[in-house]
């Protein structure tokens, strides 16, 4: 029989074994849980790896796809870059020859700018021009016939001559070619005074500039400073070359981009005519001629008259725009004469002695400011109306209403002031952010293809004579007629009172 001490020893031993067994069970359970967690982590990592691998393979496939069919883009503003005379006079045959010469000339440029990579690239050409207006101008220069759209045989043959060549009619009227840009069309297209051709060229540029297959862009639109803001973010880029021709504007030199010429393709001097017998355009003298360079009549400033001279019937060339050039106002004159935006009396509008509305001075923003604007616009385009007038009446507006820096607002204001207000000098809305005068330094008013503003806006008196209440505040001033008009002197000395 077991002794009492033996029984106690056995009980203690059994209890110890039980504890050890429980501890081993717990340890095993912990190991099993850790192993399960490791398996779960492994499965998650494997899934992530497969996704990354699939994404990498997809990127490789896309990259290989982008390596195929590389090309260069040649963008041409055809209203400012006129093809050589012998091409235009040859009509349909000239269109084919012009396309071939352009292709050969660009191919030579490609080898000098791209090296061996040029051999694998095709050439895509987009020429935008107002066919009707350009036809009239060329007819007056004696290069084509006087029938409507007389350069159409040239442009059609140019388009058919090469697979990727296209001569697009960007007429002043919407029915011309806005179907070409409908996919990227902006609300500006529906507004009066907006240069559709500039928008078309800009949208084509934006479409291809960041596309990997587009290896280089040759830009032929350097007569119009409206394109400088478009190109500023690509200052110094090695993927872009500017093409120089007649009326090349020196503002483009600041972009630090290569500048080349195609002397065998485009005219290097402005158009000229041999004789001008058309009558004076009265609409131009009033500042309302809608035909611009396509007008059949002479554009002579209202303060000048045509004078007959002994050689008036001679065959010596005369400028296409027969009136003497109007020398634009310098940057210094604009800055010294126009009111500044620091005079923040938002209820009043400056007008000159003739009752024409004036704009506050708005200098050209710096390249850094344009870069900041384009970075923001690339994320989400800002709402013009909201940020410049303080409100947006479009409940379904898809543009950005969130806070933006003063720099972006100033760039936005500068850009929109380059587009004429349809009411011109008669506008009295304080919420209007369009331009009422041309603030382009040294602008030549009569070269209508290079400026959106009519002739009259270039000759207005810039001295502020009065500050008048806006239409938005007219009712508030009905019972205070003595405060609805304020002289320039009074305005300078003290702010308008309520």
């Amino acid at each position: 029989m077991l002794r009492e001490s033996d029984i106690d020893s056995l009980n203690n031993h059994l209890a110890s074994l039980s504890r050890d067994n429980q501890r081993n069970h717990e340890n095993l359970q912990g190991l099993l849980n850790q192993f399960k967690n490791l398996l779960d982590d492994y499965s998650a990592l494997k899934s992530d790896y497969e996704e990354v691998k699939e994404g990498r393979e997809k990127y490789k496939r896309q990259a290989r796809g982008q390596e195929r069919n590389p090309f260069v883009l040649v963008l041409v503003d055809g209203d400012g870059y006129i093809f050589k005379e012998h091409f235009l006079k040859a009509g349909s045959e000239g269109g084919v020859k012009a396309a071939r010469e352009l292709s050969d000339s660009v191919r030579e440029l490609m080898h000098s700018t791209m090296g061996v990579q040029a051999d694998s690239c095709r050439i895509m050409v987009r020429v935008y021009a107002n066919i009707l207006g350009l036809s009239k101008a060329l007819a007056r220069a004696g290069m084509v016939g006087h029938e409507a759209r007389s350069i159409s045989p040239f442009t059609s043959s140019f388009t058919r001559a090469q697979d990727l060549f296209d001569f697009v009619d960007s007429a002043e009227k919407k029915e011309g070619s806005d179907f070409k840009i409908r996919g990227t069309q902006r609300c500006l297209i529906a507004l009066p005074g907006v240069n559709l051709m500039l928008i078309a060229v800009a949208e084509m540029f934006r479409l291809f500039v960041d596309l990997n297959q587009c290896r280089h862009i040759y830009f032929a639109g350097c007569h119009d400073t409206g394109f400088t803001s478009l190109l500023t973010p690509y200052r110094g880029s090695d993927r872009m070359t500017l093409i120089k021709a007649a009326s090349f504007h020196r503002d483009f030199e600041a972009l630090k981009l290569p500048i080349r010429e195609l002397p065998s393709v485009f005219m290097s001097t402005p158009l000229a005519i041999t004789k001008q017998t058309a009558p004076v355009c009265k609409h131009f003298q009033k500042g309302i001629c809608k035909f611009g360079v396509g007008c059949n009549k002479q554009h002579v400033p209202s303060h000048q008259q045509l004078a007959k001279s002994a050689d008036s019937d001679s065959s010596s060339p005369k400028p296409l725009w027969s009136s003497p050039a109007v020398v634009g106002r310098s940057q210094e004159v604009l800055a010294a004469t126009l009111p500044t935006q620091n005079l923040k009396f938002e209820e009043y509008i400056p007008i000159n002695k003739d009752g024409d509305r004036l704009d506050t001075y708005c200098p050209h923003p710096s390249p850094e400011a344009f870069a900041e604007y384009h970075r923001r616009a690339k994320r989400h385009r800002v709402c013009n109306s909201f940020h410049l007038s303080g409100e947006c009446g479009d409940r379904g507006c898809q543009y950005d209403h969130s806070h933006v820096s003063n720099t972006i607002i100033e760039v936005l204001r500068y850009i929109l002031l380059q587009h004429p207000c349809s009411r011109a000098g008669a506008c009295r809305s304080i919420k209007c952010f369009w331009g009422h005068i041309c603030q382009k330094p040294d602008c030549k008013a009569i070269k209508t293809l290079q400026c959106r503003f009519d002739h009259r806006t270039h000759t207005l008196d810039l001295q502020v004579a009065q500050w008048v209440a806006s239409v938005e505040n007219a009712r508030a001033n009905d019972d205070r007629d003595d405060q609805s008009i304020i002289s320039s002197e009074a305005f300078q000395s003290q702010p308008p009172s309520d």
Side-chain angles (χ1 to χ4, degrees):
M1 178 177 291
L2 292 175
R3 291 176 296 177
E4 188 69 27
S5 59
D6 293 335
I7 294 175
D8 291 339
S9 176
L10 289 173
N11 283 332
N12 291 333
H13 186 60
L14 181 62
S16 177
L17 291 174
S18 177
R19 287 192 302 270
D20 291 341
N21 186 56
Q22 181 65 31
R23 188 163 48 250
N24 291 335
H25 176 74
E26 292 174 354
N27 291 337
L28 179 60
Q29 191 64 39
L31 288 173
L32 291 174
N33 289 336
Q34 291 180 15
F35 183 69
K36 182 178 184 302
N37 291 335
L38 286 173
L39 288 177
D40 292 341
D41 291 342
Y42 173 79
S43 298
L45 288 172
K46 182 179 179 182
S47 177
D48 292 342
Y49 170 76
E50 293 295 335
E51 290 181 4
V52 171
K53 181 180 178 181
E54 182 180 356
R56 186 171 63 248
E57 292 300 323
K58 182 179 180 180
Y59 174 79
K60 289 181 179 179
R61 290 194 298 270
Q62 290 176 343
R64 286 193 296 268
Q66 290 180 349
E67 291 298 322
R68 294 194 299 267
N69 300 321
F71 65 92
V72 299
L73 175 65
V74 183
L75 271 179
V76 182
D77 181 339
D79 285 341
Y81 284 63
I82 310 298
F83 284 90
K84 301 287 283 188
E85 182 176 351
H86 64 275
F87 291 137
L88 297 168
K89 285 186 174 181
S92 180
E93 183 180 353
V96 175
K97 291 181 178 179
R100 185 181 303 121
E101 182 64 31
L102 178 58
S103 178
D104 293 343
S105 299
V106 171
R107 182 67 66 181
E108 291 182 10
L109 281 183
M110 290 168 60
H111 281 93
S112 65
T113 56
M114 303 171 59
V116 295
Q117 189 182 17
D119 294 329
S120 61
C121 292
R122 302 179 69 186
I123 301 175
M124 176 186 292
V125 175
R126 292 292 183 271
V127 183
Y128 293 88
N130 177 352
I131 300 297
L132 181 61
L134 188 58
S135 295
K136 292 180 179 180
L138 293 174
R140 284 165 30 190
M143 297 184 185
V144 297
H146 289 272
E147 62 274 12
R149 306 173 69 84
S150 52
I151 63 169
S152 292
F154 171 87
T155 61
S156 298
S157 297
F158 181 91
T159 299
R160 293 194 301 267
Q162 304 277 348
D163 291 341
L164 300 181
F165 281 40
D166 201 359
F167 203 117
V168 183
D169 182 8
S170 291
E172 293 177 357
K173 301 297 184 181
K174 283 192 64 178
E175 64 268 22
S177 66
D178 80 348
F179 72 92
K180 282 282 188 179
I181 55 176
R182 191 169 295 149
T184 52
Q185 155 179 20
R186 300 284 187 260
C187 62
L188 289 176
I189 291 180
L191 297 173
V194 175
N195 189 332
L196 293 183
M197 197 246 311
L198 187 147
I199 295 177
V201 175
E203 293 300 341
M204 182 61 67
F205 176 86
R206 294 190 183 99
L207 180 63
F208 287 104
V209 67
D210 294 322
L211 187 64
N212 190 50
Q213 287 173 283
C214 181
R215 302 302 170 81
H216 205 86
I217 294 180
Y218 296 94
F219 188 83
C222 301
H223 64 295
D224 190 339
T225 55
F227 290 118
T228 54
S229 60
L230 177 74
L231 301 178
T232 297
Y234 305 95
R235 188 174 184 267
S237 172
D238 60 353
R239 296 186 62 242
M240 199 171 307
T241 299
L242 303 180
I243 302 300
K244 183 178 181 180
S247 303
F248 179 87
H249 203 287
R250 296 190 64 180
D251 282 3
F252 288 88
E253 295 177 354
L255 297 175
K256 304 300 182 183
L257 294 170
I259 300 175
R260 300 290 185 270
E261 294 186 60
L262 299 178
S264 63
V265 180
F266 300 116
M267 296 178 62
S268 56
T269 57
L271 276 174
I273 58 175
T274 58
K275 189 176 180 180
Q276 179 58 269
T277 59
V280 174
C281 176
K282 301 299 182 183
H283 297 290
F284 175 79
Q285 294 187 338
K286 296 177 181 178
I288 57 175
C289 179
K290 64 181 180 180
F291 296 106
V293 72
C295 183
N296 288 324
K297 299 180 180 180
Q298 296 187 67
H299 282 185
V300 179
S302 58
H303 61 279
Q304 298 179 8
Q305 300 293 330
L306 289 178
K308 294 184 178 180
S309 60
D311 60 348
S312 59
D313 294 330
S314 67
S315 58
S316 59
K318 298 179 182 179
L320 174 63
W321 299 279
S322 57
S323 58
V326 177
V327 179
R329 300 176 173 99
S330 67
Q331 187 82 34
E332 293 74 16
V333 170
L334 292 170
T337 311
L338 290 176
T340 64
Q341 201 177 18
N342 293 331
L343 301 173
K344 296 182 178 178
F345 304 108
E346 299 180 350
E347 298 178 355
Y348 294 86
I349 292 173
I351 64 172
N352 62 16
K353 61 181 177 58
D354 300 314
D356 294 302
R357 176 173 179 168
L358 303 174
D359 293 320
T360 55
Y361 176 63
C362 186
H364 194 290
S366 66
E368 293 75 20
F370 269 115
E372 180 180 345
Y373 169 80
H374 285 293
R375 283 195 299 270
R376 178 59 182 267
K378 198 169 186 179
R379 296 202 314 267
H380 193 178
R381 283 186 173 272
V382 298
C383 176
N384 299 343
S385 179
F386 180 82
H387 288 289
L388 293 180
S389 69
E391 62 183 33
C392 175
D394 184 3
R395 293 185 178 181
C397 181
Q398 298 181 1
Y399 296 100
D400 191 1
H401 290 187
S402 61
H403 173 76
V404 297
S405 67
N406 290 334
T407 299
I408 292 177
I409 291 179
E410 285 305 306
V411 174
L412 184 63
R413 176 172 173 264
Y414 172 82
I415 291 174
L416 295 180
L417 279 175
Q418 311 308 308
H419 299 279
C421 171
S422 61
R423 291 164 292 186
C427 177
R428 294 294 183 268
S429 173
I430 201 66
K431 297 180 180 178
C432 178
F433 40 74
W434 304 110
H436 304 89
I437 61 172
C438 176
Q439 293 197 44
K440 185 188 299 183
D442 304 315
C443 180
K444 301 295 188 274
I446 54 176
K447 295 187 178 181
T448 54
L449 286 179
Q450 298 184 34
C451 186
R452 304 178 185 90
F453 290 86
D454 62 34
H455 169 75
R456 188 171 182 273
T457 59
H458 295 78
T459 59
L460 294 177
D461 183 355
L462 299 185
Q463 293 291 340
V464 178
Q466 296 175 334
W467 293 80
V468 300
S470 65
V471 293
E472 289 83 0
N473 295 283
R475 293 182 179 178
N477 289 324
D478 282 346
D479 57 349
R480 294 174 293 169
D481 292 337
D482 59 324
Q483 294 180 5
S484 62
I485 298 179
I486 300 177
S487 68
S488 177
E489 293 78 6
F491 187 89
Q492 297 294 343
S493 61
Q494 62 181 12
S497 59
D498 292 334

